[in-house]
Amino acid sequence: NLSALSLLQFPFGRRLPCDIYWHGVSFHDSNIFSGQVNKFPGMTETVRKITLSRAMRTMRDLFPLEYNFYPRSWILPEELPLFVAEVRTMKDSNPSWKPTFIVKPDGGCQGDGIYLIKDPSDIRLTGSIQSRPAVVQEYICKPLLVDKLKFDIRLYVLLKSLEPLEIYIAKDGLSRFCTEPYQEPTLKNLHQVFMHLTNYSLNIHSGNFIHSASANTGSKRTFSSILCRLSSRGADVKKLWSDIISLVIKTIIALTPELKVYYQSDIPAGKPGPTCFQILGFDILLMKDLKPVLLEVNANPSMRIEHEQELSPGVFENVPSPVDEKVKVAVIRDTLRLMDPQKKKRKDTQLIYDYSYLSLHHCKKCCYSQSSMKDKQHKHHSLKLSLKLKFYLKRGLCQSPERAPGASEEPLDAVPGPEAALPSLCLKQVFPKYARHFSYLRLVDRVAALFIRFLGVKGTTKLGPTGFRTFIRNCKLSNSNFSMAAVDILYIDITRRWNSMGIDHKESGMCLQAFVEAFFCLAQKKYKALPLHKQVLSLLELCECRLAAVHGKRLVWGCG
Ligand code: ADP
């Protein structure tokens, strides 16, 4: 109900610029030059299974203990030999280890193409792996069960801003249940999807699926109802929440470097452009000991609040889903409240009555879409809705001529504005609130800042050989042991390998992940004895310091 937020819709768009654009699939759904868009450029690519696994591996290499909430993963086909070798070594050192692995196609969703294996030799190599890369991952064999069933949690997270980093988590989420009682994987039950995969889209086809009439029964329940149950069993629910918050912040810290590269490419600094925010869907599994494990991040989580029900054989109808409604409506409502374009203005000025425009471009059809949907498919039915916001501003330097008759000049909080009738926020800020516990993890962010600085050409996401040389030269990293010829070889070797993995052929040059690898390599060379994160930190400090000196000299010359 947008009127509760004092928003007005313009279903066919608006000639004047909007304040908020609500896209169904991606940042690129329409050309935007101002306001705020509900998608970040590159988010869909950044949270794909392979990219996420790579980002998590980089963080785990740096901080093994902090990033052990993501199952160990290997990328297929390129890491198949590594996967085989590592599993063999682990089995040799621990003969009683009887692992199971889950193979998930990259870019897949809704359980599509997923299967379980007991041994690396069971990977289905014919055809599909070559044409469709995948991730193979340790399977969590001992999940927490409720009513003997496996379930996972969908939590909604608002990435409100990338720079400065601002993260909010919804206080409630969804728990999606399997429909067959769980048994630890054996060769006999590996293929039983209703036992091992919690996807709603799969389990809905099981005869055992129960549409939930209330929050704490059926195949889709609220997460809060599970927490209540755990709490009544004596579980430490506070600690669980704290672990989940930590998982979410750490995951976003792993994603931000890549996102920043996309961001500067699509919205170059200094040019007019919108800012972005995005609701993400985090899929989390709880282990028996209540440890949360990240399964995946969804860039376009379904916001459907109804489900299809077979009323009589062959007759389907969309019926409201109270559980979805309870959780999702609050997430969208609070996102709009937090992104209120006038909030900033209201902070430091006095009250006047004003009309202000908040507009949404919203793709009605795609708001239910899954991340697999391609932009092109979506474009033709892009339907624009715009919203107009009428509310209170505080009076600053520019008093509005449109002051409403009888409007009071009391401080904002004293006036029952349109938000007064709304329930309290379900989105809880976790960053920067807990920044001091996590800021030390943001090393790759700083490496990405160096990468972006030397990209040179605006709008690109890859570093050319000259940019890499300039980075080495300006940071004074070359010496008699590491000649410029060796620098070129390092660049060529790493770039060629990353480009041969076939992730992005659109641009030539060194991608961020390749630069990170080169940076780690340089750090290891220079600071041999230290652990990796200290090596990287030392090199970062050296580079930042030398660049500050170069910058300082430039300023002095400029003045001269
Ligand atoms: P999709 O995008 O296709 O839904 P997911 O990564 O979410 O792929 O996996 C689908 C389902 O498989 C999850 O909802 C979960 O029930 C199960 N699953 C995925 N990864 C693991 C894992 N490592 N251990 C145990 N179960 C898993």
Side-chain angles (χ1 to χ4, degrees), residues 126-138:
T126 42
S128 67
I129 284 290
Q130 294 305 330
S131 56
R132 200 175 175 190
V135 165
V136 58
Q137 195 169 72
E138 258 180 288

Side-chain angles (χ1 to χ4, degrees), residues 3-16:
S3 62
L5 290 160
S6 298
L7 301 172
L8 260 182
Q9 297 186 26
F10 291 87
F12 302 105
R14 184 167 176 259
R15 248 184 310 116
L16 291 169

